[in-house]
Amino acid sequence: MKSLIGASRFSCPRRRLVLAALNTGLLLPISARSAGRAAPAIVTIAAASDLKFVLEEISSQVLTDAGVEIRLVFGSSGNLSRQIQQGAPFDLFMSADEQLIDQLHQNGHTVNAGVHYATGRLVLIAGPANPGDFAADLPSLISAAPRIAIANPDHAPYGRAGLQALIASGFADGLRHKWVVGDSVMQATQYVLTGAAPFGFSAASLALAPPLKDKLKVRLVPAELYAPLRQRMALTRRSNASAATVMKLLQSPEAARLFLRFGFSLPETQK
Amino acid sequence: MDWVAARVSVMLAFSTALLLFPLALWIGRWLAMGESRSRAIVEAVLLLPLLLPPTVIGFYLLLAFGRQSPVGAALQNWFGLQLVFSFEGLLLASLLINVPFMVQPIHRAFAAIPNSLREAAWVSGLSPWATFRKIELPLAYPGILAGIALTIAHTLGEFGVVLMVGGSIPSQTRTLSIAIYDRVQSFDIAGASHISLVLLACSLTALVVVLLTGARQKRALRDR
């Protein structure tokens, strides 16, 4: 009878290898973490998701002058604003909604009232699930659609603009029963791209950007149907001098050119 | 492949396993071999994280430790410690969630050791500590390994809590699962599938390790 008791279970070479690997793996976090502390200055930007493509372009072309490492976190402006209030370590907040910056400033989370850097444009998009004619007028297009992708109006500025446009077009309840709700305008755009909804409300800066332009049919929503999407940015309380430099660079003529190219309009002071 | 996110994920998984292991070893053995009547209640409480949706745990952690809570504000002001939107906060959440994954297999492993073996060891002159080292641990070894592997694999895949409590801050709280979500949202399907395959491979490896070790133990017991 083979006896289990008394025989050392750890004498098998393969088992020793497994144990050694496990121990090394457990030590790895400690060394990796301390190595990461000697990094250059880092500026973390919380950016509204409609800035996804334009900010990546600006970051690689203009913000390199600041000589810092830029980290971009995209999300719906309302979500990011909430995270800042709860202590998220962002240095600069680029919102797609002015009022969020105002609220943060009143509650003492930002250094000042911020700067109006661009104005966004709402568009209606149609994706691969929708081969039909896109030239009809907006209300009839929307009433014919079985589903409409829209960012959550509760915390996404472009979603709120989409709701305003729907109500102004004569749909009193905003056609809620047809909504496919995205967490941000980027997710709403993605729903149309993947065919979850034939139509959707998106941002011009996303729908007209090079990666998506050829995959979507885009129509500008008339500006009178929604409140202007004045986008504002501000430094947070915890920001450093590098963040201030980055913010200044975002207002430079080169950055302004890129904002224009991606479908934004500029505030009067910058034109 | 997002290597920064991979590093965050791996650090989180191994740190969780490392910190949970001693505690789980002690509690698992006590649940299996102790004689207190409160063991049933303790076991039920420890199983709770399995039943709660991760977003609920994340929500309560946000409430308890966010900057707007008294505890969170105190931690920030006195110790400069932030338990939301930081790696430390993720680690705390991960520790809470993985308790059942580490304790359960260890508990079952120790419970499977017949008392007669321990009594034979005592009668043969081994102290309780020597019995633990030479008899109980080697017999419970597959279960312990299963607990560690399950904890690591589960933490690698954790999403709900990380989203609630971590945000998606590169190099601090953006784990591989969050990176996949971000990639999909950014229309980068190829990147997302790449990372997903890596995670799938890791989970399969963990499972194979656990099953193989268990199989050897069963075969050894069967062939006595």
Side-chain angles (χ1 to χ4, degrees):
Chain A
M1 176 183 98
K2 266 202 275 182
S3 173
L4 285 172
I5 303 167
S8 168
R9 305 283 284 176
F10 302 106
S11 59
C12 162
R14 193 190 311 165
R15 204 153 280 156
R16 256 189 264 146
L17 195 64
V18 168
L19 275 178
L22 212 60
N23 282 324
T24 325
L26 294 177
L27 285 175
L28 198 63
I30 304 166
S31 54
R33 189 125 173 81
S34 45
R37 290 198 202 281
I42 300 167
V43 172
T44 312
I45 305 179
S49 52
D50 69 318
L51 296 170
K52 161 82 184 165
F53 298 115
V54 65
L55 200 52
E56 282 176 348
E57 195 72 23
I58 294 179
S59 183
S60 60
Q61 288 184 25
V62 177
L63 297 184
T64 41
D65 291 346
V68 295
E69 184 190 329
I70 306 275
R71 291 191 185 153
L72 299 173
V73 179
F74 294 104
S76 79
S77 305
N79 221 9
L80 293 170
S81 165
R82 173 194 59 86
Q83 289 182 346
I84 290 175
Q85 285 178 9
Q86 283 167 335
F90 300 128
D91 299 304
L92 175 65
F93 177 32
M94 299 180 73
S95 167
D97 180 5
E98 273 194 314
Q99 289 174 345
L100 290 170
I101 299 277
D102 290 338
Q103 280 164 15
L104 284 177
H105 180 51
Q106 276 165 22
N107 292 329
H109 295 290
T110 61
V111 164
N112 52 30
V115 162
H116 171 210
Y117 62 92
T119 303
R121 280 198 254 258
L122 185 70
V123 294
L124 188 71
I125 53 174
N130 184 6
D133 180 23
F134 206 34
D137 65 294
L138 231 52
S140 47
L141 265 182
I142 292 174
S143 22
R147 278 191 295 273
I148 305 171
I150 185 172
N152 193 334
D154 288 339
H155 55 81
Y158 280 86
R160 200 173 52 237
L163 176 58
Q164 289 167 352
L166 284 170
I167 295 177
S169 300
F171 306 101
D173 69 333
L175 293 178
R176 266 166 216 274
H177 58 281
K178 289 195 188 186
W179 286 0
V180 177
V181 180
D183 192 50
S184 63
V185 65
M186 194 152 67
Q187 193 173 53
T189 312
Q190 202 240 346
Y191 284 152
V192 176
L193 262 178
T194 54
F199 288 109
F201 286 105
S202 176
S205 56
L206 291 178
L208 295 172
L212 301 184
K213 203 164 42 167
D214 302 321
K215 303 183 188 158
L216 293 170
K217 283 183 276 210
V218 183
R219 265 180 70 162
L220 266 180
V221 174
E224 60 267 14
L225 292 181
Y226 58 95
L229 286 155
R230 292 166 57 92
Q231 317 209 179
R232 206 170 184 85
M233 64 178 169
L235 293 168
T236 61
R237 278 250 161 260
R238 55 161 64 216
S239 60
N240 48 22
S242 314
T245 315
V246 167
M247 183 166 165
K248 244 200 270 300
L249 281 172
L250 284 166
Q251 299 169 67
S252 65
E254 293 83 24
R257 259 200 299 280
L258 283 168
F259 276 119
L260 275 176
R261 183 142 62 91
F262 277 83
F264 290 96
S265 59
L266 294 173
E268 286 303 322
T269 47
Q270 264 186 298
K271 285 187 185 153
Chain B
M1 179 65 195
D2 191 342
W3 290 111
V4 177
R7 200 193 68 165
V8 175
S9 279
V10 166
M11 271 168 53
L12 186 63
F14 280 97
S15 306
T16 306
L18 175 67
L19 289 173
L20 260 187
F21 179 63
L23 189 68
L25 193 63
W26 177 50
I27 292 183
R29 188 175 175 280
W30 174 72
L31 282 174
M33 296 171 173
E35 277 157 22
S36 158
R37 248 180 287 197
S38 59
R39 280 183 299 154
I41 302 172
V42 171
E43 192 176 352
V45 167
L46 291 180
L47 274 178
L48 206 56
L50 265 183
L51 302 174
L52 282 176
T55 39
V56 170
I57 300 179
F59 171 66
Y60 281 122
L61 279 172
L62 260 185
L63 275 190
F65 295 117
R67 198 202 270 173
Q68 293 165 323
S69 77
V71 178
L75 281 172
Q76 175 89 49
N77 294 331
W78 296 349
F79 302 107
L81 183 65
Q82 188 168 306
L83 286 179
V84 289
F85 307 113
S86 68
F87 182 81
E88 290 77 22
L90 268 194
L91 188 55
L92 174 65
S94 184
L95 287 173
L96 287 173
I97 286 194
N98 281 297
V99 162
F101 289 93
M102 186 74 99
V103 169
Q104 270 295 305
I106 295 180
H107 174 196
R108 297 296 157 211
F110 278 114
I113 301 174
N115 242 7
S116 53
L117 282 180
R118 298 167 66 219
E119 286 164 359
W122 297 338
V123 162
S124 308
L126 288 179
S127 67
W129 173 241
T131 314
F132 175 68
R133 261 178 41 232
K134 295 187 183 169
I135 310 295
E136 295 174 15
L137 260 190
L139 286 175
Y141 172 67
I144 295 175
L145 196 62
I148 296 175
L150 275 178
T151 303
I152 292 177
H154 181 246
T155 312
L156 279 179
E158 187 50 58
F159 180 74
V161 185
V162 180
L163 201 60
M164 292 287 281
V165 169
S168 173
I169 299 151
S171 165
Q172 280 192 44
T173 62
R174 184 177 287 170
T175 58
L176 277 178
S177 41
I178 301 285
I180 294 173
Y181 183 61
D182 277 350
R183 291 281 196 284
V184 170
Q185 291 234 54
S186 312
F187 323 105
D188 178 12
I189 305 296
S193 68
H194 189 182
I195 303 177
S196 302
L197 284 174
V198 169
L199 267 186
L200 181 64
C202 288
S203 308
L204 272 177
T205 311
L207 204 56
V208 164
V209 162
V210 168
L211 289 175
L212 274 183
T213 336
R216 280 168 117 243
Q217 172 81 311
K218 287 202 200 90
R219 227 175 320 126
L221 281 170
R222 200 183 58 213
D223 294 340
R224 290 164 65 217

